[in-house]
Amino acid sequence: MLHLRLITPAERTDDVVRLIERTVGTTHLVVIPGAARNPKGDVVMCDVAREAADELLSGLQKLDLDRTGSIAVENIDLSLSERAEKAEADAPGEGADAVLWEHLTDATHEESTLSVTYVAFLTIATMIAACGVVLDNAILIVGAMAVGPEFGPLAGIGTALVRRAPRLALRSLIALLVGFAVAMLVTVGFTYFMDAVDLFSRVKLDAERPNTNFIYRPDAFSFVVAVLAGAAGTLSLTSAKSGALIGVAISVTTVPAAANAAVAFTYDEYRQAWGSTVQLLLNLLGIVLAGTLTLLAQKWLWAKQRERAPRLG
């Protein structure tokens, strides 16, 4: 269940209340006239089943409540109420399958913003991965994958394509390109420093490296795994069950490929640098493609569920 807290202009309150009352899956409606001060208006609160929330939010936006008032949404961790159970039972579909498009857009917008923190995380992850490839240490590679924040912009591009939001697409693309460019440049400098103190060497990079040589040897499985990870990551972002995202982060070779390319370029190992770059591009393409197709499939399936809902009722 989700809890909605609305501030409505007095002249819009009746319309808002009628919309909530006729939306299947809502309950616990509360109206407090004149309680809001900034902006002035009435406070309306209700609980809504997750699977009915997107329809309700769209209706509230059509009433211009996002401009003239306020719409706030919170997750309810526990609700001991027979009315809440009935609301969830009446709402079509399953809550775990429901996509809150406004929430997804807002979340990916935040995650795909080019910020100092985002670039710092990506740079640190790339330097950790650089240590991993030189030492042929799979644990460091996994750690770098987990630290890297690049899935946010990738999800932002997929969301922007489905929602036809060019601003989000541009913001995500800039974050992705600038973030990786800065991370790789800093990693080149980091490699020079580590070589100067005899911690990195060309010999270590050129060794067989059985645990990490897959990073610069892309194949069909690289793309397949990226596609599967992109689908899983998108499902994790859009559903109520988001615990899988960390697993997605450690299954794709984006940050390690960027790190290997940077280290290889430093030592003029252009074969490895090229192979790592291809690996990086394959992973990025696979994630964006799978994420976009997953969102399109979710959008289509949810529309079909809504079409069947009246007949099921």
Side-chain angles (χ1 to χ4, degrees):
M1 294 290 288
L2 300 174
H3 178 69
L4 268 63
R5 186 183 71 253
L6 314 172
I7 296 178
T8 72
E11 64 274 13
R12 283 289 191 182
T13 301
D14 289 342
D15 294 333
V16 170
V17 170
R18 277 194 295 269
L19 174 63
I20 294 172
E21 288 178 334
R22 69 169 181 259
T23 300
V24 177
T26 60
T27 187
H28 303 152
L29 176 61
V30 177
V31 180
I32 309 175
R37 292 292 180 268
N38 184 21
K40 288 186 177 181
D42 304 331
V43 173
V44 178
M45 294 180 285
C46 72
D47 295 341
V48 58
R50 182 182 174 88
E51 51 269 43
D54 190 63
E55 180 181 2
L56 179 57
L57 290 173
S58 297
L60 292 171
Q61 287 179 300
K62 289 178 182 177
L63 293 173
D64 289 333
L65 204 60
D66 53 329
R67 291 192 310 105
T68 60
S70 170
I71 304 172
V73 183
E74 300 173 336
N75 278 307
I76 299 177
D77 294 327
L78 177 65
S79 180
L80 303 178
S81 166
E82 290 186 2
R83 288 180 178 272
E85 293 176 4
K86 184 178 185 303
E88 288 187 315
D90 290 343
E94 292 293 332
D97 297 333
V99 180
L100 299 179
W101 291 101
E102 290 300 329
H103 177 267
L104 177 63
T105 302
D106 184 68
T108 51
H109 182 280
E110 181 179 347
E111 291 295 324
S112 61
T113 299
L114 183 62
S115 64
V116 173
T117 301
Y118 165 80
V119 174
F121 269 117
L122 188 56
T123 302
I124 292 170
T126 306
M127 289 192 292
I128 293 173
C131 295
V133 298
V134 172
L135 297 175
D136 193 34
N137 188 316
I139 294 176
L140 291 178
I141 296 297
V142 171
M145 290 175 173
V147 172
E150 73 280 5
F151 192 82
L154 293 170
I157 292 173
T159 303
L161 292 174
V162 173
R163 303 215 71 190
R164 300 178 183 178
R167 282 190 175 183
L168 177 58
L170 181 61
R171 176 187 292 267
S172 301
L173 187 60
I174 290 173
L176 200 64
L177 295 178
V178 174
F180 270 111
V182 172
M184 293 174 74
L185 283 173
V186 173
T187 302
V188 168
F190 176 69
T191 303
Y192 279 123
F193 170 76
M194 295 294 278
D195 182 81
V197 296
D198 292 328
L199 293 176
F200 282 10
S201 70
R202 181 188 294 271
V203 173
K204 291 180 179 179
L205 183 69
D206 289 339
E208 181 57 26
R209 290 163 48 200
N211 293 320
T212 58
N213 60 24
F214 69 93
I215 294 171
Y216 61 89
R217 295 176 179 174
D219 54 22
F221 280 105
S222 301
F223 186 73
V224 170
V225 171
V227 167
L228 295 175
T234 302
L235 286 173
S236 176
L237 284 176
T238 57
S239 75
K241 301 178 180 180
S242 58
L245 193 56
I246 188 64
V248 172
I250 62 175
S251 64
V252 288
T253 320
T254 48
V255 166
N260 201 91
V263 175
F265 182 82
T266 304
Y267 287 115
D268 299 327
E269 289 287 346
Y270 298 120
R271 181 183 61 85
Q272 281 199 39
W274 173 248
S276 301
T277 302
V278 172
Q279 179 79 271
L280 174 61
L281 293 176
L282 280 175
N283 276 267
L284 296 178
L285 176 62
I287 293 171
V288 171
L289 178 63
T292 303
L293 293 177
T294 299
L295 288 174
L296 287 172
Q298 288 180 290
K299 189 175 183 179
W300 181 80
L301 289 171
W302 196 251
K304 289 297 181 183
Q305 280 192 331
R306 282 186 175 180
E307 288 176 7
R308 292 198 303 266
R311 293 194 294 271
L312 290 174

